[in-house]
Amino acid sequence: GFRSGWTGARSPAAASMIQFTMLGPGYHFYLGLLGNRKPALVAVALTETLVMYGATTRNAQLIHNQAAAGRDRVPVRPIMPVGPGFTAILLRNCLAMAGIRVLSEPMARTLHWISGADASSKCSPGINMGGDFLASVLCGALSMPFNQTFNFQVTNAACLAATPAERFALALRFLKTQYFMSTASGSVRLRQTMLRDAMLRSSYIGCLFCCYSSLERLALHMSNLRE
């Protein structure tokens, strides 16, 4: 029914408030502290992952158990900051955020150059927004395998019971069977599910992070006008 669609939503909803605070104010705090975008990005992603891991894992396991047969269900872990799948979700968060924090500016400069505008002039708001969107779409697609790996590692009984090395091997096997197939001639081809998952992830990240970055840029601009 309707209520089943909200299974496990309470914990991640609470944690997401801190998560999105880290995406904006948290990033600028670390940027001021560390003085460089890339270390600030990693620091934000690590903080975000520590906050979100336990709630996101619980949410994934509750949803999985709701649909799985009895033998395929997994024990729901108590909310802990680290555990199986932590590295995968950390890499996912780093890549997803890299769009607006690292790649957006060079992407906007490329669009600025393509438009034929003066190279010494500032990028227009529309160009900056386009840079945010394209960079986020690209990074969203790149983060997709890590997002799928995390979901697999926290909802698969063998992964939950495995050592880190065994868990890594199981994740590679999962990605191989999920996204690659062997033809009758022996060659290896990509499955359509890879394109589907990449498009879903990139469109979600592209729209969400582009809107967030545009609003943040507007807020910073209005703040500078008041000073």
Side-chain angles (χ1 to χ4, degrees), residues 193-206:
T193 50
M194 174 175 277
L195 179 61
R196 179 203 65 188
D197 290 352
M199 288 183 64
L200 288 172
R201 176 77 181 165
S202 61
S203 59
Y204 163 71
I205 293 296

Side-chain angles (χ1 to χ4, degrees), residues 9-27:
R10 186 179 303 173
S11 298
S16 65
M17 293 186 289
I18 304 174
Q19 178 188 22
F20 275 88
T21 301
M22 291 309 304
L23 182 60
Y27 169 77

Side-chain angles (χ1 to χ4, degrees), residues 9 12 30 47 125 132 147 154 191 205 209 219:
Y30 281 122
T47 306
D132 289 337
N147 185 59
V154 299
R191 293 182 182 272
I205 293 296
F209 280 53

